[in-house]
Amino acid sequence: MAAPLDLDQLQSFCAIADCGSFTEAARRVNKTQSAVSMQIKRLEERLGHALLSRDGRTVTLTHHGEVLYERARKMLRTNAEILDHFSDGDLAGSIRFGVPDDYAVRLLPVILSSFQRTHPKIVVDVSCMASEHLLEGMRAGRYDLIVFTQGTEQNFGELFRTEKMFWVASHGGRALASEPVAIACGPQYCIWRKDAMDALDRTGTDYRIAYTSSNATAISSAVLSDLAIGFLPESALQPGMRVVSDEHGLPHLPDAQMALMRASHAYGGIYDALANHIVQSMGNLEHPHQAEAAE
């Protein structure tokens, strides 16, 4: 019978896949770069295939590497679950957590405060910024866990919530009647902006980008100040906004998808405690600030 794969080798392999660098991966797994290189060499010899493609300082997964990566993650997760099952110690430690500011207004006070009450020995260091920046930070090793807006190119996010997207305007405002209609939205890399612009272009709607910001609070302020209309997921609606009804002719928007992404080491223990709390809490999250439909 073949001997099982070395979990330590798989951990180093996943770290390289996460960041695209042997040097950074060695730092993450607390090994020398030469030790990590030897681990990968032995892993490739064991499996009989090249797993990584090296082009100068850039390291990417080969086809066989991509196949292994998904399965290696599952093995690391199972290993962490087994260790947790037989552990009697209290959960303690620190977690670097990132969340889009689109959700920070409601996610942080409701979810993180309750988590700190139930897990007082776990310290959560929070950063709020755009999903694209959070994903870049994850690749750079700045986070253990992030919540982000799921896009079609993200293969390793754990989708846990889908919400309706709404066109919104200031209650009693006139921006909706402007010609062309003024839009407040995120930067070009924002997936919600891309979806909205594609929908507007398909329907031939005349519009202009009147207000651009990577900060969700700034976009909401532009809508509430009647500088423009915008588009937001259900949980981000605020008092003073009204949902634009279908009779105004604006196109239907794709649903917003929220996903959780982990660093390859962030399984079991304190990481599962926070991840499970977020998923459960967001699943039970109500929407007390349902906006009124536009007249």
Side-chain angles (χ1 to χ4, degrees):
M1 183 177 68
L5 293 174
D6 187 323
L7 284 173
D8 200 35
Q9 292 176 0
L10 294 178
Q11 182 75 74
S12 295
F13 166 74
C14 287
I16 295 170
D18 286 346
C19 66
S21 165
F22 274 79
T23 303
E24 172 61 20
R27 184 193 67 79
R28 295 186 188 188
V29 299
N30 197 30
K31 289 180 170 59
T32 64
Q33 184 174 335
S34 60
V36 169
S37 297
M38 182 58 68
Q39 284 186 310
I40 299 304
K41 179 182 178 182
R42 290 174 178 170
L43 184 60
E44 290 178 327
E45 290 174 348
R46 173 70 191 281
L47 297 177
H49 293 283
L51 303 173
L52 300 170
S53 176
R54 303 163 181 82
D55 182 10
R57 294 186 177 181
T58 303
V59 182
T60 57
L61 294 176
T62 65
H63 168 70
H64 294 292
E66 291 177 353
V67 172
L68 175 62
Y69 181 70
E70 181 178 357
R71 289 161 175 78
R73 280 263 194 165
K74 291 179 180 178
M75 290 181 67
L76 294 173
R77 181 169 197 161
T78 300
N79 179 70
E81 290 172 350
I82 293 172
L83 293 174
D84 280 352
H85 181 78
F86 291 97
S87 175
D88 296 326
D90 291 336
L91 292 178
S94 61
I95 301 175
R96 300 167 301 166
F97 176 59
V99 60
D101 54 8
D102 311 84
Y103 299 103
V105 172
R106 298 195 63 204
L107 183 69
L108 296 182
V110 176
I111 296 179
L112 293 186
S113 61
S114 61
F115 180 77
Q116 296 283 227
R117 288 194 298 271
T118 56
H119 298 84
K121 295 183 179 180
I122 301 177
V123 177
V124 182
D125 298 324
V126 182
S127 296
C128 302
M129 58 187 67
S131 289
E132 185 69 20
H133 295 154
L134 292 173
L135 290 166
E136 291 174 359
M138 177 63 80
R139 288 189 288 270
R142 293 193 291 270
Y143 303 111
D144 302 307
L145 293 170
I146 62 170
V147 168
F148 70 104
T149 302
Q150 176 80 51
T152 55
E153 297 179 357
Q154 302 303 329
N155 298 321
F156 301 108
E158 304 168 26
L159 180 65
F160 67 89
R161 182 176 174 87
T162 300
E163 295 186 3
K164 291 182 178 180
M165 287 288 291
F166 294 102
W167 292 102
V168 292
S170 173
H171 190 72
R174 299 183 178 183
L176 182 59
S178 62
E179 294 183 3
V181 63
I183 306 290
C185 60
Q188 290 187 348
Y189 56 72
C190 174
I191 186 66
W192 294 345
R193 169 174 170 157
K194 181 180 183 301
D195 288 343
M197 299 305 103
D198 288 347
L200 290 168
D201 291 338
R202 282 196 303 270
T203 57
T205 304
D206 192 16
Y207 70 92
R208 69 183 182 91
I209 305 298
Y211 194 95
T212 303
S213 176
S214 60
N215 183 279
T217 302
I219 294 174
S220 296
S221 296
V223 172
L224 291 169
S225 300
D226 200 31
L227 297 176
I229 68 168
F231 39 88
L232 291 170
E234 189 173 15
S235 64
L237 301 180
Q238 297 183 26
M241 291 180 180
R242 53 177 182 164
V243 169
V244 177
S245 60
D246 293 341
E247 64 189 44
H248 287 268
L250 291 175
H252 175 75
L253 296 171
D255 290 342
Q257 296 180 319
M258 294 178 64
L260 187 77
M261 182 174 284
R262 307 165 181 256
S264 57
H265 65 270
Y267 291 110
I270 61 176
Y271 307 112
D272 274 5
L274 178 58
N276 293 338
H277 186 82
I278 291 170
V279 171
Q280 181 178 2
S281 298
M282 287 299 291
N284 297 330
L285 189 63
E286 298 177 353
H287 307 292
H289 298 319
Q290 290 286 357
E292 300 178 22
E295 299 176 355

